[in-house]
Amino acid sequence: MTGIRVTHVGGPTALLEIGGWRILTDPTFDPPGRRYAFGWGTSSRKLAGPAVAAEALGPIDAVLLTHDHHGDNLDDAGRALLPSAGTVLTTASGASRLGGNAQGVEPWSSTRLERPGLPTIEITATPCRHGPPLSGPIVGDVVGFALRWAGQRDGVLWISGDTVLYGGVREVADRLRVSVALLHLGGVRFPVTGPVRYTMTARRAVALCRLVRPRTVIPVHYEGWKHFQEPRRTIEREFTSAPADVRGSIRWLPIGTPTTLDV
């Protein structure tokens, strides 16, 4: 099995269909218009709703939740969906807040999704830093995920999570062979904190891809919110001037439309 199906729902939210498994990332299903507080005087307004309603998704076997404490990664409608999912993997601190079916993971720890008749998926947590050095106590814990299963051709499916480029993320290049990368971009910043970035910029994403060398790069977390500062045109411009192998790796998924990928 090498083919999977990915539906980019919007923002960071994607449905991954892998050999019968149905896995959802960072559920965000609230309608647009509301302003959300992110703490320490920061806030943002949601500009676009999901391309697929939560009730139209069908059953969800697992949720990969990079963090639970920001509304652009888990909103009210997304939170309401969690109890119906078989498993929720998230940060250890997030699992303690969520309770129920939430399971905490630490960077470079691994867990498995197992069910008779379905391929076993090994999920390894990867490091994230959601802002500048020493920002952890303010912005909170975040985690990424690398998915491995039998039959993969070129390497793991990696979900970066909300992170800047730093040493922990660079470890992915040393530890993992990546086939498909869902990169959380957007170059997030807020007026109250000036030029400081809280997610990866397009320029940093190109630098990361030169290290990790994924065959396919899928941008997520770049549209639908006011605090996302780098839209698609900015990301395209940076990748257009990148080396040929990086330039050719980027793939934009039509939002709301299932797309089949080789992994």
Side-chain angles (χ1 to χ4, degrees):
M1 180 194 71
T2 58
I4 67 169
R5 194 161 74 159
V6 180
T7 305
H8 184 194
V9 175
T13 309
L15 175 65
L16 313 176
E17 297 176 84
I18 305 170
W21 292 101
R22 294 169 53 82
I23 301 170
L24 190 67
T25 69
D26 284 358
T28 54
F29 292 95
D30 284 357
R34 175 180 160 190
R35 179 169 290 277
Y36 295 73
F38 296 134
W40 294 87
T42 62
S43 67
S44 182
R45 186 176 301 279
K46 189 171 186 179
L47 304 176
V52 182
E55 57 270 19
L57 280 181
I60 300 298
D61 298 302
V63 171
L64 304 181
L65 179 59
T66 65
H67 56 302
D68 69 300
H69 52 282
H70 292 154
D72 59 328
N73 295 85
L74 181 68
D75 57 20
D76 291 346
R79 194 176 295 269
L81 176 148
L82 297 182
S84 65
T87 301
V88 178
L89 298 181
T90 190
T91 63
S93 57
S96 68
R97 287 187 291 266
L98 293 170
N101 57 348
Q103 176 181 337
V105 294
E106 298 286 352
W108 301 118
S109 67
S110 294
T111 188
R112 291 186 172 191
L113 297 180
E114 296 179 300
R115 183 181 298 168
L118 297 182
T120 296
I121 299 180
E122 182 182 70
I123 302 176
T124 299
T126 61
C128 293
R129 195 184 75 203
H130 198 0
L134 306 179
S135 63
I138 296 175
V139 299
D141 298 330
V142 183
V143 70
F145 301 97
L147 282 63
R148 181 183 288 109
W149 60 88
Q152 284 174 314
R153 187 180 70 183
D154 293 329
V156 301
L157 168 66
W158 178 43
I159 301 156
S160 71
D162 283 13
T163 186
V164 296
L165 180 57
Y166 79 113
V169 173
R170 291 187 181 96
E171 285 185 54
V172 172
D174 298 327
R175 291 179 176 242
L176 300 174
R177 183 182 176 190
V178 177
S179 174
V180 175
L182 273 66
L183 294 187
H184 288 216
L185 301 180
V188 165
R189 59 184 172 86
F190 301 93
V192 71
T193 55
V196 172
R197 301 285 182 165
Y198 294 92
T199 62
M200 214 175 307
T201 63
R203 182 168 298 180
R204 292 291 193 173
V206 168
L208 175 63
C209 290
R210 295 183 70 173
L211 294 173
V212 177
R213 300 290 180 183
R215 181 166 51 85
T216 303
V217 175
I218 298 172
V220 296
H221 196 272
Y222 64 89
E223 47 68 47
W225 287 80
K226 189 173 178 60
H227 65 303
F228 292 175
Q229 300 296 312
E230 293 193 348
R232 175 170 174 167
R233 64 180 179 273
T234 302
I235 301 167
E236 287 179 327
R237 183 170 60 247
E238 289 294 338
F239 273 81
T240 295
S241 60
D245 57 339
V246 175
R247 182 169 66 247
S249 67
I250 193 166
R251 181 164 181 180
W252 298 93
L253 298 190
I255 296 178
T257 302
T259 302
T260 299
L261 303 172
D262 287 333
V263 178

